[in-house]
Amino acid sequence: MAATLDDILHSHRTRRPVVMGVLNVTPDSFSDGGDFLSPSVAVAQARRMITDGADIIDIGAESTRPGSDRVSPAEQIARLADILPAVTASGAIVSIDTTSADVAAFAFDSGAAMVNDVSAGRDDPAIFALAAERGAALCLMHMLGEPKAMQADPQYDDVVAEVKAFLAGRVDVARAAGVSRERIIVDPGIGFGKKLEHNLALLAGVGELCLLGLPVLVGPSRKRFIDDVANVPMPADRLGGTIAACLAARAGGATIFRVHDVAATVQALKVAAAIDHAGP
Ligand code: HH2
């Protein structure tokens, strides 16, 4: 059975795995750009991910891949207008992947229950008050720099400690704007201003992020670090690496997995849980 929003927000306590299926309504996303621009194809993809076991559909209308250009809120809303309401109407829990309060407001008006903000409220601080007012769930992600230049030469002394401190600080800012702690999810932002060693350290160090006492989301799906490790140039071929990363993060305590390939991820999480239950 698909998780409720409460199940998702309590997943760090229950250890229930939650799968967030990615639906990019963009011409330029790094792995599925242009695939789901047509409303009928996008809605069919959302339905398929739900059938495959997705608990949340994360819909984005702006690519944040390295080097990407910004998309205005009006253009994001135009891309979403025929798609997001149809997905919420099908009963799915919808998350809007945006850093714009205007786009989030449109999504909430159309039935979305969550905002996934890769800038953690730094792009448009009004997003916190809006999430608070609507009682929405809020995912705060770490990113070093901006998508345009974030992969230029990211540097950290201690990436896990720095990401954890950043997230703790953004949680405080969100709470000061009225967001309930019970509605917040945190995410280390795999691939956002990180070299290979940083992505691996964060996946290995998820347990440290879990000490924040909030659900931890990870989004390793099809990302370039998998190519760096295993020489897989085509994003669509990176399923094995995606699953390995999800299972490693799960072992560290992450409970929410943002992926393109829902069925295979759900299968892997079920088998991992069954093995755990059989253990001593
Ligand atoms: N990754 C992407 C986009 N949004 N949100 C969260 N919370 N965590 C992530 O790791 C994350 C995210 C990038 O992946 P994708 O949506 O497939 O690509 P693009 O940004 O090119 O649309």
Side-chain angles (χ1 to χ4, degrees):
M1 250 228 335
T4 64
L5 193 59
D6 276 351
D7 292 334
I8 294 162
L9 293 168
H10 292 133
S11 60
H12 58 306
R13 300 195 186 104
T14 61
R15 299 291 310 268
R16 175 188 179 128
V18 173
V19 173
M20 172 186 257
V22 180
L23 185 62
N24 285 317
V25 189
T26 56
D28 57 344
S29 286
F30 79 96
S31 86
D32 57 357
D35 288 357
F36 305 114
L37 281 174
S38 131
S40 60
V41 176
V43 174
Q45 172 67 1
R47 294 215 170 105
R48 184 177 163 197
M49 290 195 286
I50 293 160
T51 305
D52 286 345
D55 301 290
I56 312 171
I57 303 297
D58 188 42
I59 308 183
E62 176 180 39
S63 173
T64 48
R65 73 181 194 291
S68 56
D69 286 316
R70 302 309 310 259
V71 177
S72 70
E75 175 63 21
Q76 290 183 54
I77 291 170
R79 290 177 181 176
L80 295 164
D82 291 333
I83 295 169
L84 194 143
V87 179
T88 58
S90 71
I93 296 177
V94 170
S95 155
I96 177 70
D97 185 349
T98 191
T99 66
S100 154
D102 287 348
V103 177
F106 165 81
F108 295 149
D109 289 343
S110 306
M114 172 168 170
V115 57
N116 171 23
D117 183 347
V118 300
S119 82
R122 292 175 298 165
D123 261 15
D124 187 349
I127 211 161
F128 285 163
L130 176 76
E133 180 194 312
R134 304 296 184 99
L138 170 68
C139 179
L140 301 175
M141 195 197 80
H142 176 271
M143 168 166 36
L144 188 69
E146 297 270 313
K148 192 88 191 152
M150 66 189 175
Q151 289 304 107
D153 186 22
Q155 303 283 347
Y156 302 84
D157 290 326
D158 178 341
V159 68
V160 176
E162 287 168 47
V163 167
K164 184 181 173 195
F166 169 87
L167 292 172
R170 297 314 296 169
V171 169
D172 287 346
V173 177
R175 292 187 65 198
V179 180
S180 157
R181 191 177 158 79
E182 291 292 311
R183 309 247 109 193
I184 301 177
I185 293 164
V186 291
D187 178 348
I190 299 300
F192 284 83
K194 279 119 192 161
K195 295 180 187 168
L196 172 62
E197 74 230 48
H198 304 136
N199 290 314
L200 298 178
L202 286 165
L203 288 165
V206 158
E208 193 58 33
L209 304 179
C210 290
L211 296 177
L212 293 170
L214 297 166
V216 174
L217 183 155
V218 288
S221 190
R222 300 183 180 176
K223 286 189 177 161
R224 190 177 316 161
F225 77 95
I226 298 169
D227 180 33
D228 294 340
V229 172
N231 188 22
V232 196
M234 299 304 292
D237 293 337
R238 298 176 186 159
L239 177 57
T242 298
I243 289 177
C246 288
L247 294 184
R250 172 190 175 277
T255 50
I256 310 178
F257 307 93
R258 181 183 183 279
V259 294
H260 302 83
D261 302 286
V262 169
T265 307
V266 167
Q267 183 185 122
L269 290 166
K270 280 186 179 163
V271 171
I275 294 168
D276 277 357
H277 286 131

